[in-house]
Amino acid sequence: MAEIVLDGVTKRYPDGTTAVSELDLKIADKEFIILVGPSGCGKSTTLNMIAGLEDISAGELTIGGARMNEKAPRDRDIAMVFQSYALYPHMTVAENIAFPLRLAKVGKAESKRKVQEAAHLLDIEQFLDRRPAHLSGGQRQRVAMGRAIVRDPKAFLMDEPLSNLDAKLRVQMRTMISRLQKHLGTTTVYVTHDQTEAMTLGDRIVLMRKGVVQQMGPPEELYEHPHNLFVAGFIGSPSMNFLNADVTSDGLQTVLGPIPVSDRMRRALEANNAPAQVIVGIRPEAFGDARLVRERRPEGHDLTFTGHVDVLESLGAEKFAYIDLGSSGAIESEHLAEAFQGNVTDQSRSQLIARLDPMSRARRGENIELDYDPDAIDLFEPETGVNLSERV
Ligand SMILES: Nc1ncnc2c1ncn2[C@@H]1O[C@H](COP(=O)(O)OP(=O)(O)OP(=O)(O)O)[C@@H](O)[C@H]1O
Ligand SMILES: [Mg+2]
């Protein structure tokens, strides 16, 4: 049993930086939790406090019911895997994996059996006699995982373990880690700044911003019901589209044209004392090629608008149309600026991205009529970023 509980855990560095602020998090036994957020939001600090590599300034950490705040890292019975593999170059793969067992004075036969078992799980049996220098990055990372696995720890703590690998290998390793975690049933806390990794790996996501948790829950929940602009912008690739809207008695006035407001939405706006200007959020997949939609659903009466296709990306199973909205579409929001940090394709805020069926005849440089469902939109308060439509 290794439930990990953080109760009001706070980290203040000596220079006054508050890296993590009153974090409450209950990680169930066997659960796979992802800490995600932009650079500097406090992910590694949180992980390091769980590991005992950083002191906890306030609050309490328990693992398996026992208070850990004052316990040394080696007494916490957890294994860490980092971005850098930190393997011993002069040892073979087998010796590297066996290293923690040697420290724990585990017998030769037992140690050999455990190394074999881990190597089998990780599919690196054929490399056991090699030295790390003669392995690929992915293989090295698997050796590092092996070293964590043989200890049979209460929990795995992983800090961006895949970020040194190329994109394809990352996807393979992701699948492997996910399978391995389910197989071993070891409580795992995994840090990444990559929302795709977060969406695909864990049971639950904890999305942080400047040391404060913005939302935690299963991936679909953050995707479908983001609590605020930051969450909405951070989760999803390509990101949700955002537009300014004036709230009038006839509905929302946007650069796409007027959007009628449903009764539910109207109630939400009133209940929240919504300002006269809000931000509309629409996911790329909420749009469709109007021509195709009409063919398939003649009775459909969603909203349509016509836009100019600046860029078209055909990925086989889907097409992404980048629609130029001009400067009137641009949004200034610190919430979004932070959510999009480092995400180059989303930085141009006067663009709308529509995910279209591969059958769409959208062409670069031409206009296209797009269809969208007014009920698929979210409304946000521009200042606070709060999702108005979620709080009815
Ligand atoms: N020793 C330190 N002294 C003062 N501030 C620190 C120290 N270590 C980290 N910080 C600050 O604490 C905040 C959180 O850092 P942390 O390393 O936890 O971020 P992170 O979410 O892991 O980011 P990244 O994705 O870049 O790894 C940052 O603002 C960082 O500058
Ligand atoms: Mg970090």
Side-chain angles (χ1 to χ4, degrees), residues 237-238 284 311-322 345 353-360 362:
S237 176
V311 174
L312 187 77
E313 294 173 349
S314 291
L315 302 180
E318 59 198 2
K319 283 181 179 173
F320 289 110
Y322 293 66
T345 54
I353 304 179
R355 178 170 178 263
L356 304 178
D357 189 285
M359 300 291 283
S360 164

Side-chain angles (χ1 to χ4, degrees), residues 40 42-45 159-160 191:
K43 307 179 292 292
S44 296
T45 302
D159 196 345
E160 314 237 10
V191 163

Side-chain angles (χ1 to χ4, degrees), residues 217-230:
E220 316 79 58
E221 201 173 294
L222 271 72
Y223 190 84
E224 284 162 23
H225 305 289
H227 286 348
N228 60 40
L229 260 184
F230 173 81

Side-chain angles (χ1 to χ4, degrees), residues 89-364:
H90 59 283
M91 292 186 195
T92 65
V93 167
E95 286 162 350
N96 264 287
I97 297 178
F99 191 72
L101 300 176
R102 215 171 87 196
L103 286 186
K105 307 223 176 344
V106 172
K108 268 231 165 76
E110 165 81 352
S111 166
K112 187 154 186 211
R113 188 185 62 74
K114 289 198 137 180
V115 170
Q116 279 294 343
E117 198 180 288
H120 177 71
L121 276 176
L122 294 160
D123 198 19
I124 46 174
E125 288 159 295
Q126 63 274 40
F127 309 124
L128 281 174
D129 296 326
R130 278 202 210 165
R131 293 194 192 234
H134 302 145
L135 296 176
S136 73
Q139 290 159 352
R140 276 179 221 174
Q141 193 53 281
R142 277 184 277 166
V143 177
M145 298 266 176
R147 202 172 42 187
I149 289 174
V150 289
R151 292 178 45 191
D152 245 335
K154 282 213 187 92
F156 293 129
L157 305 182
M158 306 192 188
D159 196 345
E160 314 237 10
L162 306 185
S163 49
N164 274 349
L165 308 178
D166 67 56
K168 193 166 169 205
L169 200 53
R170 237 177 4 235
V171 174
Q172 288 171 5
M173 287 288 286
R174 210 159 73 198
T175 320
M176 190 210 74
I177 291 180
S178 179
R179 224 184 284 129
L180 197 67
Q181 201 274 341
K182 286 284 162 290
H183 175 81
L184 297 170
T186 308
T187 312
T188 301
V189 186
Y190 185 107
V191 163
T192 178
H193 62 268
D194 177 356
Q195 70 86 32
T196 312
E197 236 170 74
M199 288 297 284
T200 51
L201 266 175
D203 299 320
R204 276 195 302 156
I205 294 178
V206 178
L207 175 50
M208 300 176 69
R209 176 190 184 189
K210 293 182 181 154
V212 179
V213 172
Q214 301 294 300
Q215 191 168 352
M216 56 175 98
E220 316 79 58
E221 201 173 294
L222 271 72
Y223 190 84
E224 284 162 23
H225 305 289
H227 286 348
N228 60 40
L229 260 184
F230 173 81
V231 177
F234 191 89
I235 300 284
S237 176
S239 298
M240 190 182 260
N241 298 292
F242 297 99
L243 313 165
N244 287 312
D246 291 319
V247 185
T248 69
S249 51
D250 297 337
L252 304 164
Q253 308 302 324
T254 74
V255 65
L256 306 184
I259 303 178
V261 176
S262 66
D263 289 344
R264 185 185 71 92
M265 201 72 99
R266 178 74 65 191
R267 278 198 305 277
L269 289 173
E270 278 164 15
N272 286 294
N273 259 332
Q277 240 209 0
V278 296
I279 294 177
V280 172
I282 316 179
R283 293 262 179 220
E285 65 271 24
F287 294 98
D289 182 328
R291 186 183 61 86
L292 292 177
V293 174
R294 270 190 214 105
E295 273 173 27
R296 289 169 195 175
R297 253 189 312 134
E299 80 291 355
H301 41 72
D302 289 347
L303 298 175
T304 63
F305 74 97
T306 298
H308 184 259
V309 180
D310 259 353
V311 174
L312 187 77
E313 294 173 349
S314 291
L315 302 180
E318 59 198 2
K319 283 181 179 173
F320 289 110
Y322 293 66
I323 311 291
D324 181 19
L325 297 181
S327 58
S328 55
I331 286 187
E332 287 293 331
S333 162
E334 51 159 330
H335 303 293
L336 291 176
E338 210 168 321
F340 293 161
Q341 187 183 327
N343 194 343
V344 181
T345 54
D346 295 315
Q347 259 161 8
S348 154
R349 286 161 301 197
S350 53
Q351 250 182 2
L352 179 147
I353 304 179
R355 178 170 178 263
L356 304 178
D357 189 285
M359 300 291 283
S360 164
R361 282 191 227 138
R363 264 178 212 279
R364 187 178 149 207

